[in-house]
Amino acid sequence: MSRPRIVDVGCGKGEVLLRAMQRFNALGTGVEPNPAFAAAVLARARESALSADLVLHELPVAEVPLFGATFDLAICTGAGHAYGDTPDALASLARLVPTGGWGLFGAGYWKRDPEPEYLEAFGGTEDEMRPFDVTVALPAAASWTVTAYHASTPLEWDDYERTYAKNVRGWVAANATDPDAEAFRGRIEAWNGAYERGGRETMGFVTLVMRR
């Protein structure tokens, strides 16, 4: 029997991809253009004895030769922008998974209309995300059926955002002479400040389990 095949677009440091590979004894394909994140994926794969089962493309997804490939599970959590927009991401992932296959997709959504000040700090536009009910309904247009979903709780959202800010601040402190350090410092303080002032009531995150 052939082993399952998994692809994770925008796999970050590989947490979800490598766990899925272990859980299902699967072959994995990751797409991650960030060099630091890609290095972390490879290091984790070596530590977990998964290197032989992993193919990692250190390129934007548009430059990765995935056309014609098929996978049993396609993952894209928080990286739909790699395809341009959520509907484009869902349609592109559907082309990688045959009928009966699975998808795991995570996306942000608006809990309420975002204030202009929040959008400025966020560095985005209101049309980048949609309300919860619209977001959950989007997969149907790309031939996906949502079988389950989880909207991150306020405690989970706080833990993610505050851990992220702590890690960036730690990197800045440890790399004070790096040319990008001040830019990172300014960005994380603006981002975290906006979150603490009202971001948790404005943006949410939902993870969708989908079937083709």
Side-chain angles (χ1 to χ4, degrees), residues 60-151:
V61 67
E63 300 176 24
V64 177
L66 292 178
F67 182 77
T70 56
F71 299 89
D72 299 283
L73 168 63
I75 301 168
C76 184
T77 54
H81 56 273
Y83 288 104
D85 192 11
T86 294
D88 295 329
L90 290 165
S92 295
L93 294 174
R95 289 192 285 271
L96 300 176
V97 178
T99 300
W102 293 88
L104 183 68
F105 189 80
Y109 65 91
W110 295 129
K111 293 181 177 179
R112 66 182 186 188
D113 292 341
E115 299 290 338
E117 294 79 10
Y118 179 75
L119 289 174
E120 183 178 356
F122 172 63
T125 58
E126 186 172 352
D127 60 4
E128 288 183 34
M129 288 184 284
R130 300 158 179 82
F132 176 81
D133 56 343
V134 176
T135 302
V136 174
L138 286 175
S143 301
W144 291 104
T145 298
V146 175
T147 63
Y149 64 79
H150 174 71

Side-chain angles (χ1 to χ4, degrees), residues 8-24:
D8 189 341
V9 177
C11 65
K13 296 181 180 180
E15 183 72 23
V16 176
L17 174 59
L18 297 178
R19 286 195 182 202
M21 289 172 62
Q22 290 176 315
R23 173 66 177 81
F24 300 110

Side-chain angles (χ1 to χ4, degrees), residues 13-67:
K13 296 181 180 180
E15 183 72 23
V16 176
L17 174 59
L18 297 178
R19 286 195 182 202
M21 289 172 62
Q22 290 176 315
R23 173 66 177 81
F24 300 110
N25 186 29
L27 303 174
T29 297
V31 180
E32 180 49 63
N34 182 300
F37 288 176
V41 176
L42 295 174
R44 288 185 174 195
R46 287 192 296 271
E47 293 168 2
S48 304
L50 293 172
S51 296
D53 295 330
L54 173 68
V55 174
L56 183 64
H57 297 282
E58 299 180 41
L59 296 166
V61 67
E63 300 176 24
V64 177
L66 292 178
F67 182 77

